[in-house]
Amino acid sequence: MNNATKKLLLMKKRKKKISSITAYDASFARVAEQANIDFILVGDSLGMVIQGCDNTHKVTVEEMVYHIKCVEKGVKNTPIMADLPRVALKNKKTAYSSVKKILKAGASIIKIEYQDKSFGLIEYLLKKKITVCCHLGLKPQFIKSSRDIKVHGKTNKSAKEIIAQADLLNDAGVSMILLECVDSKVAKFISKKVDIPVIGIGSGQHTDGQISVLYDLIGISKKIPSFAKNYLKNKNSVYSALKNYNQDVKK
């Protein structure tokens, strides 16, 4: 756990909500910092919102590094979390080499879309003193068809699986958990149960914080999820939109 995640952990303990957005360049990152967003995610969602692809599957480590460097130039104090792209998950050696490049570019937290078979990789990175956030629920890197896009944890079996994964990762020593499209009751339960911050996206209001794709917040994504709100509507600037989003999260 580094200084960035220590601050987020303290916010959880003090019951202060954590706000986050994705950003992919210096200009939007700078506005996010001015709006007091708590941390920025350089997501492999750039494959869709920047590159125009149908999914995130082909985003490369080099592309992630490029965008992290851009974001890093736009902020002074805001922590940066970055996705470990799907192509880097071939084996431990490839993953660790990729993680080092991402950290060198300016990220301080590595986000990994978690599968049970990747627990060994998580343990390996933690032993290397890497600060890790694990992504549960809907995992865009492993979507095969539109049928995979659903709320997770609605059945008893699915809820138990996600809760067990969260417990395992919490005990293993990851610094944060992200829940995407997880049933709100399950997300609330996990947030109360684990010691580390739980950040939600489309998982209800009872997590320790919220993260949103920037382009969803300003209404320009090609496919905007039903849970997203256009904060630029009736606002006169991106800054005021992000400030309003931040205030909503904090409330």
Side-chain angles (χ1 to χ4, degrees), residues 97-112:
S97 173
S98 302
V99 165
K100 288 195 292 183
K101 292 176 183 177
I102 288 170
L103 293 176
K104 186 178 179 181
S108 56
I109 309 167
I110 301 294
K111 182 168 77 64
I112 298 175

Side-chain angles (χ1 to χ4, degrees), residues 158-222:
S158 177
K160 285 183 176 180
E161 180 182 10
I162 296 171
I163 291 168
Q165 289 175 337
D167 280 338
L168 179 68
L169 294 166
N170 180 59
D171 292 343
V174 304
S175 296
M176 199 185 317
I177 290 173
L178 188 147
L179 300 178
E180 181 169 358
C181 292
V182 170
D183 179 80
S184 60
K185 292 180 181 178
V186 176
K188 181 179 180 180
F189 180 82
I190 291 172
S191 300
K192 288 187 174 182
K193 193 171 192 291
V194 303
D195 303 319
I196 55 180
V198 176
I199 310 299
I201 177 169
S203 298
Q205 63 178 333
H206 297 295
T207 51
D208 300 308
Q210 300 289 333
I211 188 166
S212 294
V213 173
L214 169 66
Y215 290 8
D216 293 346
L217 291 183
I218 60 176
I220 63 172
S221 293
K222 183 178 180 181

